[in-house]
Amino acid sequence: GKFPAHAAGNTPFDLQNDLPYFTEADVAGGKLWAETVPADGYEAKQLMFNGVPVAGMTDVYVAIQAVVPRPEFVEEDLVFVTLAGGGNDCPTLWAIVLTSARGATASAPFGTCSEAILNPRLTESALVAFDMAPVAEGQPWMTYTADGATLWETELPGPP
């Protein structure tokens, strides 16, 4: 659904998404890693949390991109991951994985097929918001707002 106050409050933070692809990270609740598994004629990297596959993050090629401590929630992290395998038309989608002592929950894959998360910021209600540029002609700019692994997307009339 639409998130009405997606732009309310802008406290920028560093997503460090220029780091090399991570295959493992120490996160709230334990360890997250991308484990190589044989898939249908190719190698996949599925996401594992403390030895358990993360639902929705199997049969894909996952890379861990950034770990963001969840604002105002102790012992919860938001982990930004990329999912490759969309082919040349859409090489990269993203997902956010919420980790804690209770386990790991992944958002549905999202994105404009862009490899860049732009203008990451915290909103007044302690949600994480960011923008993505269009890749295909006629595609809109998008703002995404995340509350844990729950995500809202809003089309923008133009560049933010």
Side-chain angles (χ1 to χ4, degrees), residues 13-112:
F13 66 90
D14 182 10
L15 197 57
Q16 296 184 311
N17 62 341
D18 55 346
L19 294 174
Y21 288 90
F22 283 126
T23 54
E24 63 180 67
D26 291 313
V27 294
K31 189 177 270 301
L32 199 64
W33 71 89
E35 186 168 291
T36 303
V37 290
D40 192 20
Y42 66 97
E43 278 193 345
K45 280 198 181 292
Q46 70 179 18
L47 201 59
M48 306 288 289
F49 183 64
N50 296 335
V52 179
V54 178
M57 297 290 110
T58 58
D59 296 329
V60 288
Y61 197 92
V62 177
I64 299 167
Q65 297 289 355
V67 179
V68 179
R70 191 172 181 203
E72 296 184 14
F73 289 83
V74 181
E75 299 303 316
E76 287 188 359
D77 282 338
L78 297 178
V79 184
F80 285 74
V81 300
T82 49
L83 313 174
N88 292 339
D89 290 342
C90 187
T92 304
L93 286 174
W94 291 77
I96 295 176
V97 181
L98 174 66
T99 69
S100 73
R102 294 182 304 281
T105 306
S107 74
F110 66 87
T112 62

